[in-house]
Amino acid sequence: AKLKSDASVFTIADGIVQHLLVNHLFTGGKFLNVVGEEDDSNVNITNRPFTVDDLTVPDDFVDLVESVRDQISSLSSQISSTDYLD
């Protein structure tokens, strides 16, 4: 974890969760907007070592992150790009 400019705490989980929502679950215009605090985070959960900004995901969690990433990407295929319009 590290402190953000407003003195609030930023964790690896903060960056990964927002990244998974925006770039994996709701990719391809499947949602109008996602409002989050971590928009400027640089998240790499594609190539090891996984990183969020200058923080490295601990090895103990890499397999879990991969599994969740893959499951969320799979769920994404079940969301229509017009579902948010209902």
Side-chain angles (χ1 to χ4, degrees):
K2 65 180 183 177
L3 291 179
K4 296 189 285 186
S5 60
D6 66 358
S8 62
V9 176
F10 173 80
T11 67
I12 290 171
D14 293 329
I16 288 177
V17 167
Q18 183 165 328
H19 177 82
L20 287 170
L21 287 172
V22 173
N23 296 305
H24 293 270
L25 187 60
F26 297 127
T27 188
K30 294 180 181 175
F31 207 75
L32 188 57
N33 285 310
V34 174
V35 177
E37 297 180 359
E38 317 312 338
D39 293 335
D40 296 329
S41 298
N42 182 14
V43 178
N44 164 41
I45 55 171
T46 304
N47 301 307
R48 294 179 186 212
F50 294 165
T51 56
V52 178
D53 290 341
D54 60 344
L55 303 171
T56 301
V57 175
D59 290 337
D60 291 349
F61 296 100
V62 170
D63 290 339
L64 178 61
V65 169
E66 282 183 323
S67 175
V68 170
R69 178 201 63 209
D70 294 345
Q71 290 176 45
I72 287 177
S73 293
S74 178
L75 285 172
S76 178
S77 68
Q78 299 175 36
I79 300 172
S80 165
S81 62
T82 60
D83 280 351
Y84 74 90
L85 298 173
D86 292 337

